[in-house]
Amino acid sequence: MDLQGIDAIGTLQSSADQLASSKNEQAQKAEQNALDWWSLAAIAPAIIILLGFLFLFFYGVFQSLTDLKFGRPVVRFIGFTNYEMVIKTQDFWNSVRATMAYACSAVLAEALFGLALAKLFASGVFLTRLMRPVILLPLVLPPMSVALMWTTMMDPQNGILNYLLSLIGIGRFAWISDASTAMCSLVLIDIWTYTPFFALIIFAGLQGINDEVREAARVNGARGWATFLHIELPLIAPYILIAAVFRLIESLNQFDIIFGTTQGGPGDSTSVLSVRAYITAFQNLAFGRGAALMVVNWMVVLLGTFVMVRLWRLVRHRVS
Amino acid sequence: MRFNRSTPASLFLNLLVVACTLILTFPLVWIVMMSLKQQAEVMTWPPRFIFTPNLKTSAFCSMPPRPGQQATAPSRLIS
């Protein structure tokens, strides 16, 4: 008796479930067909902002195809003439070379020093716990004050760096005032400012490695250096590369530190693409040509980032 | 898992940390010191690390001449 009753209730329930589910499906279909105004309203600000940025970007690209210049009454569409004129000049290729040299050497050196710094601070000796906040110090300074700070320190006449060098018996250095050393000095400033960024991210990566992994490596007989080279380095390589992607974008676009210290000089030695574009557009007031240079700069950044992201995905794929 | 480092090794690592900290903080400290110096003291050679701080003519009152420009007379606002 009892069992039959339970059975009957079960069948009733199941059929009721089926009915309800078919009703639900109908309702879901109706909902899918109707426009969800609330979600649209929720994403509308993002779309508007995106469209605004895209409009500005395309306006800039359009500007690079015109002969817009300050004080010119009629603006004509001249196609790729700006690009042709720019590419023909030797200065442009100097700028491209300077941009590449600056970005590549800065990112490479920062990755190396950042790795060393992170490893040092992950070693957990007594002073690291006290000094950990200090790593962040250069990162929180505004780039313009970093530029002014180093300009005074690198003064060839009475800068402190020359004095410190003279203490260990090295003669005076012209730093940013000489065409041959200006680029190295700028890279040095960049390294001082942004190595902490690398150190921070790599430090986080090192903290993320499970201690069991290290222990397993040790049990299997890996010594300190081998553990680092074969266990830790492959595991933190994605972190290094993602930090390098960010820094490469920023240093290919680097404007504030370079313009704040040398303004592209002395001569032509440090005029990277962004600085040259700024000078062309806002000091020579040839907005069209400046926009063309900026578009070229954007393409360089796009290309560099594309390569780096591909590399990053490759490494991450191999690790995981 | 912490390695138990030998004393010389940990001392060396601590020294390295101090060196890194010095490199990272020195420019900032130097600029703060510079902001408290008088114009003549800023320009002296060799640079001095010990001086009497001067809050009156610090950066808030008179701007130091930019490198490349010639030193100008103090502005009329102060004199």
Side-chain angles (χ1 to χ4, degrees):
Chain A
M1 267 302 276
D2 245 12
L3 282 172
Q4 272 177 0
I6 287 171
D7 235 19
I9 289 168
T11 40
L12 266 178
Q13 266 185 350
S14 65
S15 60
D17 276 352
Q18 276 172 2
L19 273 175
S21 70
S22 69
K23 233 181 220 170
N24 269 351
E25 270 172 27
Q26 279 172 2
Q28 271 177 359
K29 265 181 194 167
E31 259 175 36
Q32 274 171 4
N33 288 338
L35 263 174
D36 192 349
W37 288 104
W38 280 112
S39 1
L40 268 187
I43 58 172
I47 289 180
I48 290 170
I49 290 171
L50 199 66
L51 282 181
F53 275 118
L54 276 184
F55 168 74
L56 287 178
F57 172 71
F58 282 118
Y59 182 68
V61 174
F62 168 74
Q63 229 176 37
S64 73
L65 301 173
T66 64
D67 63 345
L68 181 65
K69 201 167 180 170
F70 185 72
R72 185 166 285 177
V74 187
V75 177
R76 281 176 304 132
F77 184 82
I78 52 168
F80 288 96
T81 318
N82 271 333
Y83 293 92
E84 277 168 30
M85 296 291 280
V86 154
I87 282 174
K88 264 180 208 162
T89 56
Q90 192 61 45
D91 294 348
F92 167 75
W93 294 108
N94 275 342
S95 288
V96 173
R97 209 172 302 136
T99 312
M100 292 291 190
Y102 178 82
C104 293
S105 50
V107 169
L108 210 68
E110 278 160 24
L112 283 179
F113 285 127
L115 185 60
L117 201 62
K119 199 78 184 95
L120 178 64
F121 272 78
S123 69
V125 287
F126 168 67
L127 273 177
T128 54
R129 263 161 283 163
L130 282 178
M131 296 303 184
R132 210 175 285 167
V134 171
I135 319 182
L136 278 177
L137 210 58
L139 275 182
V140 295
L141 285 174
M144 211 56 192
S145 39
V146 169
L148 286 176
M149 196 167 93
W150 281 90
T151 315
T152 43
M153 283 178 48
M154 285 177 168
D155 194 278
Q157 291 303 312
N158 43 28
I160 181 72
L161 285 187
N162 270 346
Y163 174 69
L164 291 180
L165 282 186
S166 74
L167 284 185
I168 51 172
I170 300 172
R172 289 193 176 206
F173 223 44
W175 299 107
I176 53 174
S177 313
D178 190 76
S180 54
T181 52
M183 190 48 102
C184 293
S185 312
L186 284 186
V187 171
L188 190 72
I189 299 175
D190 200 79
I191 289 172
W192 182 83
T193 317
Y194 291 111
T195 297
F197 176 73
F198 268 92
L200 211 64
I201 290 182
I202 297 171
F203 185 71
L206 281 172
Q207 297 283 321
I209 296 176
N210 207 333
D211 270 347
E212 286 163 15
V213 177
R214 289 200 192 99
E215 208 161 342
R218 240 179 126 203
V219 168
N220 282 323
R223 291 278 156 267
W225 188 247
T227 317
F228 173 69
L229 212 61
H230 295 118
I231 310 289
E232 281 184 339
L233 199 59
L235 281 173
I236 55 173
Y239 291 89
I240 301 176
L241 279 175
I242 199 70
V245 169
F246 283 125
R247 275 308 303 155
L248 193 74
I249 295 174
E250 269 181 58
S251 55
L252 282 172
N253 279 329
Q254 188 68 265
F255 176 76
D256 29 30
I257 285 181
I258 299 173
F259 198 76
T261 46
T262 62
Q263 305 198 345
D268 218 12
S269 52
T270 59
S271 66
V272 296
L273 274 173
S274 56
V275 169
R276 183 176 293 282
Y278 176 85
I279 288 173
T280 315
F282 298 110
Q283 287 184 5
N284 303 343
L285 298 174
F287 294 109
R289 195 157 299 172
L293 279 167
M294 285 175 199
V295 170
V296 171
N297 193 2
W298 169 72
M299 281 175 177
V300 169
V301 173
L302 195 70
L303 206 72
T305 314
F306 184 73
V307 171
M308 284 303 281
V309 169
R310 283 298 287 273
L311 196 67
W312 172 65
R313 287 175 68 174
L314 198 82
V315 167
R316 202 187 50 169
H317 192 71
R318 227 196 59 203
V319 166
S320 61
Chain B
M1 182 188 71
R2 289 259 160 266
F3 300 105
N4 282 326
R5 286 200 179 78
S6 56
T7 317
S10 109
L11 199 69
F12 176 69
L13 284 177
N14 274 323
L15 276 179
L16 264 183
V17 172
V18 169
C20 287
T21 316
L22 271 184
I23 291 172
L24 288 177
T25 50
F26 174 73
L28 207 64
V29 171
W30 181 246
I31 291 307
V32 170
M33 279 165 76
M34 213 172 206
S35 76
L36 297 174
K37 284 176 178 174
Q38 279 182 335
Q39 191 63 47
E41 281 175 317
V42 170
M43 294 297 181
T44 49
W45 184 271
R48 283 200 200 114
F49 288 90
I50 298 156
F51 62 98
T52 47
N54 189 331
L55 286 171
K56 216 170 168 186
T57 52
S58 74
F60 306 106
C61 300
S62 67
M63 298 298 278
R66 288 173 58 190
Q69 282 179 348
Q70 280 199 339
T72 49
S75 75
R76 240 171 246 167
L77 271 174
I78 301 163
S79 61

